[in-house]
Short mmCIF file of all heavy atoms in Angstrom, two decimals:
data_model
loop_
_atom_site.label_atom_id
_atom_site.label_comp_id
_atom_site.label_asym_id
_atom_site.label_seq_id
_atom_site.Cartn_x
_atom_site.Cartn_y
_atom_site.Cartn_z
N ARG A 1 -15.66 13.88 32.80
CA ARG A 1 -16.04 13.50 31.44
C ARG A 1 -16.58 12.07 31.45
O ARG A 1 -16.12 11.22 32.18
CB ARG A 1 -14.83 13.54 30.50
CG ARG A 1 -14.43 14.92 30.05
CD ARG A 1 -13.28 14.79 29.07
NE ARG A 1 -12.84 16.09 28.61
CZ ARG A 1 -13.31 16.69 27.54
NH1 ARG A 1 -14.26 16.11 26.84
NH2 ARG A 1 -12.86 17.88 27.19
N THR A 2 -17.56 11.78 30.61
CA THR A 2 -17.94 10.41 30.33
C THR A 2 -17.30 9.94 29.03
O THR A 2 -17.27 8.76 28.76
CB THR A 2 -19.47 10.30 30.23
OG1 THR A 2 -19.92 11.19 29.22
CG2 THR A 2 -20.12 10.66 31.56
N GLN A 3 -16.82 10.88 28.19
CA GLN A 3 -16.08 10.56 26.97
C GLN A 3 -14.85 11.45 26.93
O GLN A 3 -14.92 12.62 27.28
CB GLN A 3 -16.93 10.81 25.73
CG GLN A 3 -18.10 9.85 25.57
CD GLN A 3 -17.66 8.49 25.07
OE1 GLN A 3 -16.70 8.38 24.33
NE2 GLN A 3 -18.36 7.45 25.50
N GLN A 4 -13.74 10.90 26.52
CA GLN A 4 -12.54 11.69 26.39
C GLN A 4 -11.65 11.09 25.32
O GLN A 4 -11.92 10.01 24.81
CB GLN A 4 -11.78 11.77 27.72
CG GLN A 4 -11.31 10.41 28.25
CD GLN A 4 -10.59 10.53 29.57
OE1 GLN A 4 -9.82 11.47 29.76
NE2 GLN A 4 -10.85 9.62 30.49
N TYR A 5 -10.62 11.83 24.97
CA TYR A 5 -9.69 11.34 23.96
C TYR A 5 -8.78 10.27 24.54
O TYR A 5 -8.53 10.22 25.75
CB TYR A 5 -8.83 12.49 23.45
CG TYR A 5 -9.54 13.42 22.49
CD1 TYR A 5 -9.98 14.66 22.89
CD2 TYR A 5 -9.74 13.03 21.17
CE1 TYR A 5 -10.62 15.51 22.01
CE2 TYR A 5 -10.37 13.87 20.28
CZ TYR A 5 -10.82 15.11 20.69
OH TYR A 5 -11.44 15.94 19.80
N ALA A 6 -8.29 9.44 23.62
CA ALA A 6 -7.27 8.47 24.01
C ALA A 6 -6.26 8.36 22.88
O ALA A 6 -6.63 8.17 21.72
CB ALA A 6 -7.89 7.10 24.28
N LEU A 7 -4.99 8.53 23.23
CA LEU A 7 -3.91 8.20 22.31
C LEU A 7 -3.69 6.70 22.37
O LEU A 7 -3.51 6.15 23.46
CB LEU A 7 -2.62 8.92 22.70
CG LEU A 7 -2.50 10.40 22.33
CD1 LEU A 7 -1.24 10.99 22.97
CD2 LEU A 7 -2.46 10.60 20.83
N VAL A 8 -3.74 6.04 21.23
CA VAL A 8 -3.62 4.58 21.18
C VAL A 8 -2.30 4.22 20.52
O VAL A 8 -2.09 4.51 19.34
CB VAL A 8 -4.80 3.94 20.42
CG1 VAL A 8 -4.67 2.43 20.42
CG2 VAL A 8 -6.12 4.38 21.03
N ALA A 9 -1.42 3.61 21.29
CA ALA A 9 -0.11 3.18 20.78
C ALA A 9 -0.15 1.67 20.63
O ALA A 9 -0.31 0.93 21.62
CB ALA A 9 1.00 3.60 21.74
N GLU A 10 0.00 1.19 19.38
CA GLU A 10 -0.03 -0.23 19.09
C GLU A 10 1.34 -0.68 18.61
O GLU A 10 1.94 -0.02 17.75
CB GLU A 10 -1.08 -0.55 18.04
CG GLU A 10 -2.50 -0.22 18.48
CD GLU A 10 -3.52 -0.48 17.40
OE1 GLU A 10 -3.48 0.22 16.37
OE2 GLU A 10 -4.35 -1.38 17.58
N PRO A 11 1.85 -1.79 19.14
CA PRO A 11 3.17 -2.26 18.70
C PRO A 11 3.16 -2.65 17.23
O PRO A 11 2.23 -3.30 16.75
CB PRO A 11 3.43 -3.47 19.60
CG PRO A 11 2.08 -3.90 20.07
CD PRO A 11 1.24 -2.67 20.14
N LYS A 12 4.19 -2.22 16.53
CA LYS A 12 4.31 -2.58 15.12
C LYS A 12 4.82 -4.00 15.00
O LYS A 12 5.40 -4.57 15.93
CB LYS A 12 5.26 -1.61 14.40
CG LYS A 12 4.77 -0.18 14.36
CD LYS A 12 5.76 0.70 13.60
CE LYS A 12 5.28 2.13 13.51
NZ LYS A 12 6.25 3.00 12.78
N ASP A 13 4.63 -4.56 13.81
CA ASP A 13 5.17 -5.89 13.55
C ASP A 13 6.68 -5.87 13.71
O ASP A 13 7.35 -4.91 13.32
CB ASP A 13 4.82 -6.35 12.14
CG ASP A 13 3.34 -6.66 12.00
OD1 ASP A 13 2.71 -6.92 13.05
OD2 ASP A 13 2.82 -6.63 10.87
N SER A 14 7.22 -6.97 14.23
CA SER A 14 8.66 -7.03 14.47
C SER A 14 9.47 -7.24 13.20
O SER A 14 10.69 -7.20 13.22
CB SER A 14 8.96 -8.16 15.47
OG SER A 14 8.48 -9.40 14.96
N GLY A 15 8.78 -7.46 12.09
CA GLY A 15 9.50 -7.65 10.84
C GLY A 15 9.44 -9.09 10.39
O GLY A 15 8.53 -9.84 10.74
N GLY A 16 10.40 -9.50 9.60
CA GLY A 16 10.39 -10.85 9.06
C GLY A 16 9.81 -10.87 7.66
O GLY A 16 9.30 -9.87 7.16
N ILE A 17 9.88 -12.01 7.04
CA ILE A 17 9.40 -12.17 5.67
C ILE A 17 7.89 -12.38 5.68
O ILE A 17 7.40 -13.30 6.35
CB ILE A 17 10.10 -13.35 4.99
CG1 ILE A 17 11.61 -13.11 4.94
CG2 ILE A 17 9.56 -13.55 3.57
CD1 ILE A 17 12.40 -14.28 4.40
N PRO A 18 7.13 -11.56 4.96
CA PRO A 18 5.67 -11.74 4.89
C PRO A 18 5.33 -12.88 3.93
O PRO A 18 5.01 -12.66 2.76
CB PRO A 18 5.19 -10.38 4.39
CG PRO A 18 6.31 -9.84 3.58
CD PRO A 18 7.57 -10.36 4.22
N TRP A 19 5.37 -14.10 4.43
CA TRP A 19 5.29 -15.26 3.56
C TRP A 19 3.96 -15.33 2.81
O TRP A 19 3.92 -15.79 1.66
CB TRP A 19 5.50 -16.54 4.38
CG TRP A 19 6.92 -16.71 4.82
CD1 TRP A 19 7.40 -16.66 6.10
CD2 TRP A 19 8.05 -16.96 3.97
NE1 TRP A 19 8.76 -16.85 6.11
CE2 TRP A 19 9.19 -17.05 4.81
CE3 TRP A 19 8.22 -17.11 2.60
CZ2 TRP A 19 10.46 -17.28 4.33
CZ3 TRP A 19 9.49 -17.35 2.10
CH2 TRP A 19 10.59 -17.43 2.96
N LEU A 20 2.86 -14.92 3.44
CA LEU A 20 1.58 -14.97 2.74
C LEU A 20 1.58 -14.03 1.54
O LEU A 20 1.12 -14.39 0.45
CB LEU A 20 0.44 -14.61 3.70
CG LEU A 20 -0.97 -14.62 3.09
CD1 LEU A 20 -1.30 -15.98 2.49
CD2 LEU A 20 -2.00 -14.22 4.14
N ASN A 21 2.10 -12.82 1.73
CA ASN A 21 2.19 -11.87 0.62
C ASN A 21 3.06 -12.42 -0.51
O ASN A 21 2.70 -12.33 -1.69
CB ASN A 21 2.76 -10.53 1.10
CG ASN A 21 1.94 -9.90 2.19
OD1 ASN A 21 2.01 -10.33 3.33
ND2 ASN A 21 1.16 -8.89 1.86
N VAL A 22 4.19 -12.99 -0.13
CA VAL A 22 5.11 -13.54 -1.13
C VAL A 22 4.47 -14.70 -1.87
O VAL A 22 4.54 -14.80 -3.10
CB VAL A 22 6.43 -13.96 -0.47
CG1 VAL A 22 7.32 -14.69 -1.48
CG2 VAL A 22 7.16 -12.75 0.10
N GLY A 23 3.84 -15.60 -1.13
CA GLY A 23 3.22 -16.76 -1.75
C GLY A 23 2.11 -16.38 -2.72
O GLY A 23 2.01 -16.94 -3.83
N LEU A 24 1.27 -15.42 -2.33
CA LEU A 24 0.20 -14.97 -3.22
C LEU A 24 0.75 -14.27 -4.44
O LEU A 24 0.21 -14.41 -5.55
CB LEU A 24 -0.76 -14.04 -2.46
CG LEU A 24 -1.68 -14.72 -1.44
CD1 LEU A 24 -2.45 -13.68 -0.64
CD2 LEU A 24 -2.65 -15.67 -2.15
N LEU A 25 1.83 -13.51 -4.27
CA LEU A 25 2.45 -12.85 -5.42
C LEU A 25 2.98 -13.87 -6.42
O LEU A 25 2.77 -13.75 -7.63
CB LEU A 25 3.57 -11.92 -4.96
CG LEU A 25 4.38 -11.24 -6.06
CD1 LEU A 25 3.49 -10.40 -6.96
CD2 LEU A 25 5.51 -10.39 -5.47
N VAL A 26 3.67 -14.91 -5.90
CA VAL A 26 4.21 -15.94 -6.78
C VAL A 26 3.08 -16.66 -7.52
O VAL A 26 3.15 -16.91 -8.73
CB VAL A 26 5.06 -16.94 -5.98
CG1 VAL A 26 5.44 -18.15 -6.84
CG2 VAL A 26 6.31 -16.26 -5.44
N ALA A 27 2.00 -16.98 -6.79
CA ALA A 27 0.86 -17.65 -7.42
C ALA A 27 0.21 -16.76 -8.47
O ALA A 27 -0.22 -17.24 -9.53
CB ALA A 27 -0.15 -18.05 -6.35
#
């Protein structure tokens, strides 16, 4: 094959407080 499928596994965020989201919400 010159093209084939690929399963792509990407690490999820480890968590923590999303400070940008919180700051924009407060504003």
Side-chain angles (χ1 to χ4, degrees):
R1 282 183 181 269
T2 57
Q3 292 284 328
Q4 61 181 320
Y5 284 104
L7 282 172
V8 182
E10 297 177 294
K12 295 182 179 179
D13 289 338
S14 58
I17 299 175
W19 288 113
L20 180 58
N21 301 77
V22 173
L24 287 173
L25 175 58
V26 171

